[in-house]
Amino acid sequence: MSLTYDSQFPATAFGLTGHCDATEALSRMGLRLRIAKDEEIYGQDEDADLIYRVVSGAVRTTSLLRDGRRQIGEFYYAGEVFGIEPGQSHRFSAEALCDCEVVAVKASALKAAVGEAAFDRMVWRATSRELDRAQEHVLLLGRKTASERVASFLMDMAERGRAEAVVLPMGRQDMADYLGLTIETVSRTLTQLQNRLVVEFAGLRQFRVNDLGALSRMAA
Amino acid sequence: MSLTYDSQFPATAFGLTGHCDATEALSRMGLRLRIAKDEEIYGQDEDADLIYRVVSGAVRTTSLLRDGRRQIGEFYYAGEVFGIEPGQSHRFSAEALCDCEVVAVKASALKAAVGEAAFDRMVWRATSRELDRAQEHVLLLGRKTASERVASFLMDMAERGRAEAVVLPMGRQDMADYLGLTIETVSRTLTQLQNRLVVEFAGLRQFRVNDLGALSRMAA
DNA sequence: CGTTCATTTGAAGACACTCAACGTCTGTGG
DNA sequence: CCACAGACGTTGAGTGTCTTCAAATGAACG
């Protein structure tokens, strides 16, 4: 039996269910979809009439420059809501980071079901977190060095689960596109962190933090 | 008579007033404050009980790393609302970009005055724009080169006013801290853009776009 | 009209990127 | 179960872009 991403972060962990009536209703009412790794959930500029929630696995939102350069906006993990947009259409596209399950429901249907107040609360919560993360991301991309970015990222991942070993649901390329680096720089930085005994990898996608203080200090 | 930032972008331009009852009420009810250049309006981690609107001049929000590296989150111009936070406290600090006037009102007072619905609408509008900009900012910082960043920035500024000449309310250091670059790189890039006749500066803070197509293409 | 601050320019260096080769993991079919 | 293929990740060498440090120039203000 191998440790997978899902076994580590079930949707019910972290108290993410039950906080919000509308979120619960979303999971109950929503259509359950199985999405294969790298399959698109919605595209950039498509109409944003559906609201999604990750049941298992993880999702990324991405934005492309005309010449193909890619930036990942955020990762979404089990229990999290995504796809809510302030505007009419999706500003990013969303794809499955690994094989995963999501539930989707029409915004209008959800609103009708739980009432405007509960619906608005959910939208507000989701948007707030979105903004929070985006602003933190701006600081990371604007002013942190490569090692600081990678360290920050590992800290975030480690904080998500209190587990001994943290499992990364994404590959190196996704990390790079999230951190505004190349895959080679990410790889080299991870190697350094291991050599300095700050973290320890068991396989490509599983690591343990050996020196939380050092990692935290490196995150700047 | 010299062209100043304020004469170019009065608060009533762009239809920014009247769109929203609560925004209008904010300006009517709010305490009018005069803020000197570089003076702090609120600090990072302070309680966010006031909501602000720029009357004249411009404002920046900034975030600092422990060692002093600075990232500017956003610039706010005449007519725009700022200081609304999803959480309890301010995630960034806010300072006057130049001598400016703002109005400030207690969130609770504004809510009582205009009703919850109108208040929520305003909060939602402000937060949406905030998120939009932050996501665009992430793409810029994560994947654009120095010239692309500067070109993007000048495009944004040019789009704000249809005026012949665009006036920048901020200095080079603020541009650099917004774009995730150094002041020297910004300066060199601006010089290049002038040499290629894409833009033309008249003084340090006033420019005209000569070749909008080229500028747009450079913005990536 | 000089002082001060902001911006520009120059030269040298560092950090991250590119290109290329090598290693390792995973899944598939023999 | 092993061999193989293909994808993914690591490592190395060289390059380029942006930064750093330093000096000169230019603008703003009393």
Side-chain angles (χ1 to χ4, degrees):
Chain A
M1 192 205 85
S2 79
L3 188 53
T4 66
Y5 173 70
D6 279 340
S7 67
Q8 189 184 24
F9 299 120
T12 48
F14 316 119
L16 284 170
T17 49
H19 264 190
C20 191
D21 293 346
T23 307
E24 215 175 305
L26 199 172
S27 293
R28 227 176 27 244
M29 298 170 55
L31 193 62
R32 203 179 205 84
L33 302 170
R34 231 162 235 299
I35 322 265
K37 179 168 150 61
D38 293 327
E39 195 183 328
E40 183 175 288
I41 299 170
Y42 55 76
Q44 205 162 3
D45 298 323
E46 275 180 21
D47 255 22
D49 49 352
L50 292 175
I51 295 178
Y52 302 83
R53 185 165 188 234
V54 181
V55 174
S56 70
V59 169
R60 65 170 175 257
T61 54
T62 67
S63 161
L64 291 174
L65 254 26
R66 271 188 302 285
D67 64 1
R69 278 173 287 175
R70 188 178 76 147
Q71 177 64 44
I72 292 183
E74 270 311 327
F75 295 118
Y76 298 89
Y77 307 99
E80 295 184 342
V81 172
F82 69 99
I84 294 178
E85 303 285 345
Q88 178 69 55
S89 58
H90 289 295
R91 179 153 279 81
F92 289 73
S93 67
E95 298 121 35
L97 213 47
C98 49
D99 290 351
C100 69
E101 283 184 311
V102 305
V103 286
V105 73
K106 273 210 153 167
S108 51
L110 185 60
K111 192 186 224 163
V114 301
E116 193 159 327
F119 179 80
D120 287 352
R121 247 191 325 274
M122 185 197 66
V123 168
W124 175 246
R125 287 172 63 85
T127 306
S128 301
R129 182 171 47 228
E130 203 86 347
L131 181 57
D132 254 29
R133 291 187 183 181
Q135 289 178 334
E136 194 61 35
H137 207 176
V138 162
L139 179 60
L140 179 141
L141 295 171
R143 288 301 181 208
K144 292 191 184 180
T145 65
S147 341
E148 289 167 349
R149 293 181 200 193
V150 172
S152 300
F153 180 76
L154 294 182
M155 279 292 289
D156 282 355
M157 293 306 295
E159 277 167 9
R160 297 192 60 72
R162 276 273 153 278
E164 259 302 288
V166 183
V167 177
L168 300 170
M170 74 289 287
R172 299 290 187 267
Q173 186 64 61
D174 285 321
M175 291 180 51
D177 287 344
Y178 177 76
L179 298 174
L181 301 169
T182 60
I183 187 173
E184 293 95 333
T185 300
V186 169
S187 181
R188 277 185 248 273
T189 307
L190 288 173
T191 304
Q192 280 176 17
L193 285 172
Q194 290 179 84
N195 291 342
R196 292 180 198 168
L197 304 177
V198 177
V199 298
E200 186 178 335
F201 271 78
L204 290 171
R205 295 197 168 200
Q206 199 178 135
F207 74 95
R208 224 165 56 78
V209 180
N210 278 332
D211 187 343
L212 191 61
L215 189 62
S216 165
R217 258 174 277 122
M218 291 189 66
Chain B
M1 189 204 85
S2 79
L3 187 53
T4 67
Y5 173 71
D6 279 340
S7 67
Q8 187 186 25
F9 300 119
T12 48
F14 316 120
L16 283 169
T17 49
H19 264 189
C20 191
D21 293 345
T23 308
E24 214 176 305
L26 198 173
S27 292
R28 228 177 27 244
M29 298 169 55
L31 193 62
R32 202 179 206 84
L33 302 170
R34 234 163 231 298
I35 322 265
K37 179 166 148 62
D38 293 327
E39 195 182 328
E40 182 174 288
I41 299 170
Y42 55 75
Q44 205 163 1
D45 298 323
E46 275 181 20
D47 256 22
D49 48 352
L50 293 176
I51 295 177
Y52 301 83
R53 186 167 187 233
V54 181
V55 175
S56 70
V59 169
R60 65 169 175 258
T61 53
T62 68
S63 161
L64 291 173
L65 253 27
R66 273 189 300 285
D67 64 1
R69 278 173 287 175
R70 187 177 76 148
Q71 177 65 42
I72 291 183
E74 272 311 326
F75 295 117
Y76 298 88
Y77 307 98
E80 295 183 343
V81 172
F82 69 99
I84 294 179
E85 303 285 346
Q88 179 68 55
S89 58
H90 290 296
R91 180 155 280 78
F92 289 73
S93 66
E95 298 119 34
L97 213 46
C98 49
D99 290 351
C100 67
E101 282 184 311
V102 306
V103 287
V105 72
K106 272 211 154 166
S108 51
L110 185 58
K111 190 185 225 166
V114 301
E116 194 159 327
F119 179 79
D120 286 351
R121 246 190 326 275
M122 184 196 67
V123 168
W124 176 247
R125 286 172 63 85
T127 306
S128 301
R129 180 169 51 228
E130 204 86 348
L131 180 57
D132 255 31
R133 292 185 181 182
Q135 289 178 334
E136 194 61 36
H137 206 177
V138 162
L139 180 59
L140 179 141
L141 295 171
R143 287 302 181 209
K144 293 191 183 179
T145 66
S147 341
E148 290 167 349
R149 294 181 200 192
V150 172
S152 300
F153 180 75
L154 294 183
M155 279 291 289
D156 282 355
M157 294 306 296
E159 277 167 9
R160 297 193 61 72
R162 278 271 154 280
E164 257 303 286
V166 184
V167 177
L168 300 170
M170 75 290 287
R172 299 291 187 268
Q173 185 64 60
D174 285 319
M175 291 180 52
D177 287 344
Y178 178 75
L179 297 174
L181 301 169
T182 60
I183 187 174
E184 294 94 334
T185 300
V186 170
S187 180
R188 278 184 248 272
T189 306
L190 288 173
T191 304
Q192 280 177 15
L193 285 172
Q194 289 178 86
N195 292 341
R196 292 180 197 168
L197 304 177
V198 178
V199 298
E200 186 178 335
F201 271 78
L204 291 172
R205 296 199 169 198
Q206 200 178 133
F207 74 95
R208 224 164 55 79
V209 179
N210 278 333
D211 187 343
L212 191 61
L215 189 61
S216 164
R217 256 173 279 122
M218 293 189 63

